Structure formats: structure tokens, C-alpha cells
């Protein structure tokens, strides 16, 4: 009888352990990013922890939208937001007579940053990620 109760208790322990959050409290993050009222065509958004959280993440912005899946998401807490988007036009090694072409025939590109420094390198934008019962949808409208 004691063995049967012990086995039952052990089975319950494994059952409840299997029901725990496999993502360690990480939350899915979704949102949009607009620059001067227009969706950012191609860029990135990053979330950097401000309260000692063990998670940080970046996501591509495509056609104004971004998503960080729960498996690689963020634990609740406050995060610093940085948004980046380049013009995709500024060549590193343009092909001309004065300069030889770079690797790949002169098609290397360093983009001019389109997002103001106040949303990028000097960002003070903060957002709070909350527990899973609440949505973590962020819409960034950059002037």
C-alpha cells in the first residue's frame, strides 16, 4: 500500500512537472514600426533589458511588421527599444576609375541610417513586456 501511494505521488509529480512552461516565461512579441507615418520596408527592432532580465532579442521589420516568437521571446520586464533601417543605396566600393571594385564586383553596400538617433543609438524609448495573460503588441511611430 505504501509503495502504491509513493508511485501515485511520483506520477503526479511528473505530470505537474510536464505542465510547466517550456519557454521559461518568455513571451511572444509582435508589433509594427513606422517612420514618418510610413511602414518601415526593411529594418530591425531590438529589445535590450533594463531590469537585469536574462533575455534580449532583435527581430527583422518587414513591410512595417515584426514578430519575436515565444520560443525566443522576452521575459516580463522593462526594455530599451532601438529601431534601425537603412536606405540600401550607399555603396562601400562604388565602381569607378578612381577606385577598384570591392568584393563581389563593387556591390557591397553600407546603408545610410534612416531612423533618427533618438530611436537608435541615443534611444531612451522604453516598453514593458508583461505576463502571458496580456498582449505584448508594440506599435512604434517614429517621427
Amino acid at each position: 500500500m505504501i509503495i502504491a501511494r509513493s508511485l501515485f505521488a511520483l506520477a503526479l509529480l511528473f505530470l505537474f512537472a510536464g505542465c510547466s512552461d517550456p519557454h521559461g516565461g518568455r513571451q511572444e512579441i509582435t508589433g509594427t514600426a513606422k517612420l514618418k507615418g510610413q511602414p518601415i520596408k526593411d529594418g530591425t527592432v531590438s529589445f535590450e533589458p533594463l531590469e537585469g532580465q536574462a533575455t534580449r532579442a532583435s527581430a527583422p521589420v518587414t513591410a512595417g511588421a515584426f514578430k519575436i516568437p515565444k520560443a525566443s521571446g522576452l521575459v516580463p520586464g522593462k526594455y530599451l527599444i532601438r529601431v534601425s533601417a537603412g536606405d540600401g543605396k550607399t555603396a562601400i566600393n562604388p565602381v569607378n576609375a578612381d577606385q577598384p571594385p570591392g568584393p563581389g564586383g563593387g556591390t557591397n553596400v553600407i546603408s545610410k541610417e534612416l531612423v533618427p538617433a533618438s530611436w537608435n543609438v541615443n534611444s531612451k524609448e522604453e516598453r514593458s513586456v508583461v505576463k502571458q495573460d496580456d498582449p505584448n503588441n508594440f506599435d512604434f511611430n517614429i517621427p
Side-chain angles (χ1 to χ4, degrees):
M1 185 73 159
I2 294 175
I3 294 174
R5 285 184 183 166
S6 297
L7 289 175
F8 180 72
L10 188 59
L12 282 177
L13 179 66
F14 283 120
L15 177 67
F16 288 118
C19 293
S20 67
D21 181 4
H23 302 295
R26 291 176 181 257
Q27 306 300 309
E28 178 179 278
I29 311 298
T30 59
T32 61
K34 291 182 179 180
L35 179 61
K36 298 179 182 175
Q38 298 299 313
I40 292 177
K41 181 180 175 182
D42 187 29
T44 60
V45 62
S46 65
F47 292 76
E48 299 175 20
L50 291 173
E51 299 176 323
Q53 306 92 305
T55 57
R56 68 179 56 231
S58 292
V61 177
T62 305
F66 64 90
K67 180 178 180 179
I68 302 170
K70 190 170 186 164
S72 56
L74 301 169
V75 296
K78 194 177 287 188
Y79 290 83
L80 177 69
I81 307 302
R82 295 185 195 273
V83 180
S84 179
D87 68 357
K89 298 177 184 176
T90 311
I92 294 175
N93 295 320
V95 179
N96 63 38
D98 299 326
Q99 188 173 4
T107 58
N108 289 339
V109 173
I110 282 187
S111 292
K112 175 184 171 191
E113 183 62 60
L114 299 175
V115 176
S118 61
W119 274 85
N120 195 304
V121 294
N122 298 328
S123 179
K124 293 184 180 12
E125 295 295 324
E126 297 177 4
R127 299 296 186 278
S128 292
V129 172
V130 294
K131 62 184 179 175
Q132 67 189 38
D133 296 341
D134 299 316
N136 286 291
N137 185 59
F138 302 104
D139 296 320
F140 305 128
N141 294 304
I142 303 165

